Amino acid sequence: MRLLRSNLGKLRRRPASWVTLLLLVGLLALIILLVTVASRSASDPEAKLAGTLFLTFPGAYELILSMVMGIGGLLAVTYGAAIAGSEWGWGTLKAAVARGESRIAFTLLNYASVAIYTWIGIVLAFLAGLLISMLGATISGIGLNGLGDRDALLRLPELFGRAGLAMAMNAALGFAIATVARSQLAGIGVGIGVFFAEGIAGVFAPDLIKWFPFAASSAVFTGGSSLGGGGGGAGGGGGFGASLDPQTAIVVVAAWLVASLAVAAIWTERAEISG
Amino acid sequence: MSESADGVALATQGLAKRYGPRVALDGLDLRVPTGVVYGFLGPNGAGKTTTMRILTGLIRPDAGRVEVLGRPFGRGDRRRLFEVGALIESPSFYPFLSGRENLRALAATGAPTSRSRVDELLSLVNLQDRAGDKVSGYSLGMKQRLGIAGALLSDPRLLLLDEPANGLDPAGIAGMRDTLRALAAAGKTVFVSSHILWEVQQLADVVGIVAQGRLVREGPIEDLLRAEGTVRVRVAPDQVPTAGPALEAVAGAGAVTVEHGPEAGWLDVRIDPERAAELNRSLAGAGVYASRIEVGTTLEALFLELTGTSPDLGGAAGSAASGGAAPDGPRWQA
């Protein structure tokens, strides 16, 4: 537990944690703002309606969380890669191993702290998005009556659980890539590359790509619902009509999560550490 | 757990390691007695850092045995390192954390370490005034001092330091030397890898010299230097042409080496030190009077001879260690 506590303390002080959160909140605010402004000036009634979705509760709850996932998926990959890669690049893994620390414990507890901060990031970004939407609704003269909708509020924990699993898997993927690459920059670069490559490949082979990590993670949350576009982001087939059903997606995402962590842990355990 | 019955804190036997086609270690046999400062010397690429990495479990040898603190050390023996402190290559820190936070983060790994130990060590290495500053703003010497503090965190019985004097100023080197000597005096074993010889000569009790992955000489430093049988004679530089033949008349042809540059006027004579008086008599007979006569050799001369290396421009400044992990031990100067 002292190592996990120490890791959490380290990440709290790490600029990358705050920069990632601010980037997520900033992008979320920008998208909500742009959609709202664009829809108000649109002549098409459907476009106008789409713009109010972010401002109309209880539907906005799910939409905001979907947006957090869509943007946050890529950020989670880069965050996981940055944390794992820096332990190699800065030599801090070497120092810990030379003190007799278990390589596997060090790796998994390091990831655990990343996952915890990822979950905290989801909650904080969601709350920020909520405030922005409420502000937008007030300015636009849209009522906030739906805020207290009991059914929507009761569904939130399940949605957060699904989003948390998907984001944790995304972070684990970046974490594993950077561990294998032994570099945060290489990990971030490859993670981003895989993210977009999967999205592009999803156009041509959606039935195959839907099993891939980013496509599956978007399906965990949206599962082909009407909100699929927001949750899918750039990742895979979620937005192309060939996504997994949510329950299957949960299993697939969990498998990717476990596989990523296993790769990171085994790789670290067997690696020759130098530099 | 205690050291082996014969008082050996660290031993290797037939240690071998290759990196592709390059042989880093080629059957290295080391024997480090308990309670000494051991200077592990060798030219660049001789296998010093590879040895350090094996001793700390960072890499695995291709062949050979390692004993740490009296027991075999290999895969699955990571807890043995709870009693070992190490600084391998450059010190490693989180740049966004302060010196104190870095030591606390390091203390959260490996052997349990009290929080008070961190401040004791910051004081020992004279970083207490900068302990709250981010490490990214530290100088190389400050990082090195913090790295040594990190190696001392668990009050280790065996300390492994790889080029610990890198970046230290003269006061820092002197402080480190005092600290490491105090550690050895307290019964701990200090293993210092270095290629900076004058500092090792001041610090170490025992040295092992490696070249091309093999041990070429090992033993108490005084014994090694005495056994080399060199007498150094200092005369006026303009008398060197006369002194050389006079010395060769006693020691034999080719036994005299003339120093140049800043050392001009020194002649190294390979001869039994017991015959130094004969040399002096021969010089006097030639009308040359020695201003100094020193018995023995320098570690540098021995090193160059054994490793087959030649003096290298820019390769000279000192290294090594000294110390006292004890909180009440000597403090390093600013």
Side-chain angles (χ1 to χ4, degrees), chain A:
Chain A
M1 285 309 289
R2 67 190 169 116
L3 186 51
L4 180 60
R5 259 200 321 272
S6 169
N7 284 340
L8 290 172
K10 277 186 302 195
L11 292 192
R12 185 171 53 81
R13 299 292 312 275
R14 185 162 177 164
S17 301
W18 296 100
V19 169
T20 306
L21 177 63
L22 289 176
L23 207 55
L24 177 57
V25 171
L27 287 171
L28 186 64
L30 191 64
I31 289 170
I32 294 175
L33 186 70
L34 287 177
V35 169
T36 305
V37 170
S39 65
R40 289 183 74 173
S41 58
S43 54
D44 181 3
E46 280 192 22
K48 274 187 181 297
L49 179 64
T52 61
L53 287 177
F54 275 116
L55 313 178
T56 308
F57 292 92
Y61 282 128
E62 195 166 336
L63 192 56
I64 292 167
L65 194 52
S66 165
M67 287 304 301
V68 169
M69 263 194 68
I71 304 165
L74 182 56
L75 293 176
V77 172
T78 59
Y79 186 58
I83 304 306
S86 61
E87 298 288 355
W88 292 85
W90 290 335
T92 40
L93 169 68
K94 174 185 73 177
V97 170
R99 272 180 59 78
E101 184 57 57
S102 158
R103 296 178 184 217
I104 289 179
F106 186 87
T107 303
L108 294 182
L109 290 174
N110 200 17
Y111 169 74
S113 58
V114 169
I116 289 170
Y117 274 93
T118 302
W119 292 327
I120 291 172
I122 295 171
V123 173
L124 292 179
F126 175 78
L127 291 175
L130 198 60
L131 286 175
I132 295 163
S133 288
M134 288 166 64
L135 187 65
T138 306
I139 291 170
S140 303
I142 298 172
L144 297 174
N145 297 337
L147 265 176
D149 184 275
R150 190 167 177 275
D151 290 342
L153 291 175
L154 285 175
R155 188 152 183 255
L156 275 181
E158 184 203 335
L159 292 177
F160 269 106
R162 289 169 179 271
L165 175 67
M167 297 277 272
M169 187 277 287
N170 288 351
L173 200 66
F175 193 90
I177 292 170
T179 298
V180 172
R182 301 183 177 201
S183 155
Q184 53 180 331
L185 280 180
I188 291 169
V190 173
I192 291 172
V194 170
F195 185 85
F196 286 108
E198 192 186 307
I200 294 165
V203 177
F204 304 104
D207 288 334
L208 174 66
I209 295 300
K210 69 182 179 185
W211 299 96
F212 278 50
F214 298 116
S217 68
S218 73
V220 158
F221 186 67
T222 59
S225 78
S226 59
L227 300 173
F240 300 104
S243 62
L244 298 170
D245 70 83
Q247 299 313 316
T248 306
I250 285 175
V251 176
V252 172
V253 165
W256 277 107
L257 173 63
V258 171
S260 298
L261 293 181
V263 166
I266 292 170
W267 190 271
T268 306
E269 176 64 20
R270 300 184 62 83
E272 301 238 305
I273 301 173
S274 58

Side-chain angles (χ1 to χ4, degrees), chain B:
Chain B
M1 184 173 54
S2 61
E3 282 82 4
S4 61
D6 55 354
V8 175
L10 177 65
T12 69
Q13 189 177 26
L15 209 57
K17 181 71 182 177
R18 298 176 72 97
Y19 295 106
R22 190 174 71 78
V23 176
L25 292 177
D26 185 17
L28 182 69
D29 299 320
L30 290 178
R31 190 178 166 83
V32 180
T34 302
V36 302
V37 177
Y38 185 104
F40 187 46
L41 309 177
N44 293 333
K48 301 190 300 294
T49 298
T50 297
T51 305
M52 291 291 216
R53 288 176 184 160
I54 290 173
L55 295 177
T56 47
L58 296 174
I59 63 175
R60 299 180 187 95
D62 298 332
R65 284 166 42 88
V66 177
E67 265 190 29
V68 172
L69 298 170
R71 291 175 60 185
F73 174 72
R75 263 184 113 146
D77 295 323
R78 66 176 179 84
R79 284 177 180 271
R80 189 75 42 76
L81 296 172
F82 285 11
E83 296 181 280
V84 177
L87 174 61
I88 310 295
E89 299 166 296
S90 53
S92 309
F93 300 111
Y94 298 99
F96 56 90
L97 294 182
S98 70
R100 179 179 287 111
E101 288 166 337
N102 264 291
L103 285 188
R104 285 181 180 160
L106 192 58
T109 64
T113 307
S114 69
R115 282 176 82 87
S116 63
R117 179 73 177 160
V118 168
D119 286 322
E120 287 168 8
L121 290 170
L122 286 168
S123 175
L124 175 72
V125 299
N126 201 28
L127 280 176
Q128 68 273 31
D129 294 338
R130 299 288 304 273
D133 295 355
K134 284 184 181 175
V135 162
S136 56
Y138 280 16
S139 68
L140 178 60
M142 291 168 70
K143 287 178 184 169
Q144 195 73 8
R145 282 191 267 164
L146 191 63
I148 293 171
L152 295 171
L153 264 176
S154 54
D155 194 15
R157 292 162 59 200
L158 172 62
L159 189 59
L160 308 174
L161 301 175
D162 191 8
E163 306 285 359
N166 275 353
L168 294 185
D169 58 19
I173 291 174
M176 183 185 63
R177 188 190 310 134
D178 292 345
T179 302
L180 298 189
R181 292 272 10 138
L183 279 174
K188 300 178 188 298
T189 307
V190 182
F191 184 84
V192 179
S193 147
S194 180
H195 62 273
I196 304 173
L197 303 169
W198 64 268
E199 185 58 38
V200 173
Q201 189 163 355
Q202 293 184 63
L203 170 71
D205 305 298
V206 180
V207 294
I209 299 177
V210 288
Q212 297 176 322
R214 298 183 72 90
L215 186 73
V216 292
R217 195 63 58 89
E218 185 178 55
I221 195 165
E222 287 182 8
D223 292 355
L224 288 181
L225 296 181
R226 198 180 305 118
E228 286 306 304
T230 299
V231 176
R232 299 189 83 216
V233 179
R234 169 83 178 181
V235 300
D238 62 345
Q239 291 186 312
V240 167
T242 309
L247 294 171
E248 282 193 335
V250 178
V256 178
T257 305
V258 178
E259 304 265 3
H260 298 285
E263 296 286 293
W266 281 103
L267 299 99
D268 292 338
V269 187
R270 293 184 58 78
I271 191 172
D272 181 352
E274 299 294 321
R275 298 178 65 193
E278 286 181 53
L279 295 175
N280 199 15
R281 191 179 310 121
S282 178
L283 283 175
V288 178
Y289 296 94
S291 59
R292 290 177 69 181
I293 296 179
E294 295 178 356
V295 171
T297 187
T298 62
L299 189 56
E300 181 174 274
L302 179 65
F303 176 89
L304 294 175
E305 181 189 335
L306 290 174
T307 60
T309 52
S310 54
D312 187 6
L313 286 177
S319 96
S322 66
D328 54 352
R331 296 297 191 267
W332 297 13
Q333 301 202 1

